């Protein structure tokens, strides 16, 4: 498994920006996908964005397209989620996750970081 530690959450006003970081360790990341998920109070956890470690290919949920950008720094083994034009409905705990590219199961999770967007 991969160990994941998120950081960068906080309180921001609507329209503002935050950058979340996810430091990964534990094994090599070839053939690994890294993802961001979020869970708002009373709602199920939902997919936000993902990036394929080897190729940099990215994929976004509709709610994130045009506002969020996922990226990685191979030298630092860190994945980022740049969030712009934040809305109150983006308020949630954001989780970093990892899986083998060949599987569909996200099997490594971070502890989460709180993002609160005030109106």
């Amino acid at each position: 498994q991969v160990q994941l530690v998120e950081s960068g959450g906080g309180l921001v006003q609507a329209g503002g920006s935050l950058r979340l970081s996810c430091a990964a360790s534990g094994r090599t990341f070839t053939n690994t996908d890294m993802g961001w998920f979020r869970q708002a109070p009373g709602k199920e956890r939902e997919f936000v964005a993902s990036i394929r470690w080897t190729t940099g290919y990215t994929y976004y949920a509709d709610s994130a397209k045009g506002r969020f950008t996922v990226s990685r720094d191979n030298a630092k083994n860190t994945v980022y989620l740049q969030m712009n034009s934040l809305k109150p409905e983006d308020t949630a705990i954001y989780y970093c996750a990892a899986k083998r590219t060949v599987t569909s199961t996200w099997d490594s999770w971070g502890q989460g970081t709180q993002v609160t967007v005030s109106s």
Side-chain angles (χ1 to χ4, degrees):
Q1 279 194 336
V2 178
Q3 288 74 52
L4 304 171
V5 179
E6 303 99 332
S7 61
L11 173 65
V12 64
Q13 288 188 334
S17 298
L18 280 176
R19 188 177 79 158
L20 306 183
S21 299
C22 173
S25 62
R27 60 172 174 81
T28 59
F29 301 107
T30 304
N31 301 319
T32 295
D33 293 346
M34 302 293 295
W36 287 98
F37 292 75
R38 67 185 183 185
Q39 188 167 19
K43 295 188 177 181
E44 293 187 353
R45 188 174 299 186
E46 65 176 2
F47 171 81
V48 176
S50 66
I51 185 166
R52 186 147 295 171
W53 197 276
T54 304
T55 63
Y57 175 81
T58 58
Y59 185 74
Y60 295 93
D62 288 344
S63 60
K65 288 178 182 176
R67 299 189 300 129
F68 295 1
T69 302
V70 60
S71 62
R72 84 238 190 269
D73 184 328
N74 290 354
K76 296 182 178 180
N77 285 349
T78 299
V79 175
Y80 303 99
L81 184 67
Q82 177 68 44
M83 304 186 293
N84 299 327
S85 303
L86 283 162
K87 306 174 183 179
E89 51 263 45
D90 294 318
T91 295
I93 299 174
Y94 283 71
Y95 297 91
C96 179
K99 69 174 184 71
R100 298 282 187 179
T101 298
V102 295
T103 71
S104 60
T105 302
W106 297 89
D107 58 2
S108 297
W109 293 86
Q111 82 286 353
T113 185
Q114 177 71 48
V115 171
T116 303
V117 184
S118 63
S119 58

